[in-house]
Amino acid sequence: MTATTTPEADVPLIAGHPVLDFANTVAWRTDPKRSTERVTGPVAWRRWAAAAGLPAAPGTFAGLPALRATLWPVLDALVDDEPPPEDAWHALMEAIRRAREHATPQPVFPLTRRPSGPADALALHAEELLSDPALLPRVRRCEGPGCGWFFLDRSRGGTRRWCSSGDCGNRARARRHYARTRGRS
Ligand SMILES: [Zn+2]
């Protein structure tokens, strides 16, 4: 994938889950021509991790792009109701295994593990998400062409279609309006 960079951009957290917000740190993910890296460099990642509520130990951001690349095909398969691709699945399971190994169990109930850094925290969050039968059916991918952002649909009827109604939702309304007005003229 080709990706341009906008290092100063703050990424909106719209997904309702840190793993999905993490997957959304590339804009226009499914359109190779527009695909844009939204978080680049340790300073931007540290800021993102803090906003997403993750531990931000310095010097531990290097593994994030690789982890994200393993998450995308797994989440796409989940949304498309297909088995996850083998390579991505193995890489993700390996990341989870390592994160568990490096995490420090905390002396509290319920038992929680303190991850060693943001990539490990996200791997453990991914394990929780992929193990949660209540959350899995709510994982959606924005219907905006080329958008590719994921979110948890917490709407009562399970009808959320867009990453943001003011963004992809607006564009879809504009397209429908354009099609209607063209049809009349
Ligand atoms: Zn969208």
Side-chain angles (χ1 to χ4, degrees), residues 98-137:
R98 276 197 314 265
R100 281 167 157 264
E101 202 176 289
H102 298 156
T104 313
Q106 302 297 291
V108 293
F109 298 110
L111 170 64
T112 42
R113 291 182 287 255
R114 195 181 64 221
S116 66
D120 281 0
L122 284 161
L124 295 176
H125 278 306
E127 183 184 31
E128 283 163 21
L129 174 66
L130 296 174
S131 313
D132 192 328
L135 291 186
L136 281 181

Side-chain angles (χ1 to χ4, degrees), residues 14-17 20 129 134-140 150-155 160:
I14 57 93
H17 192 283
L20 304 180
L129 174 66
L135 291 186
L136 281 181
R138 292 186 176 274
V139 176
R140 303 259 192 284
F150 297 98
F151 54 86
L152 274 186
D153 181 3
R154 294 189 185 273
S155 68
R160 180 173 164 192

Side-chain angles (χ1 to χ4, degrees), residues 14 28 141-151 161-164 167-169 171:
I14 57 93
W28 303 110
R141 188 177 50 216
C142 177
E143 292 180 20
C147 175
W149 273 14
F150 297 98
F151 54 86
R161 298 172 62 193
W162 315 109
C163 58
S164 150
D167 209 340
C168 285
R171 273 188 288 275

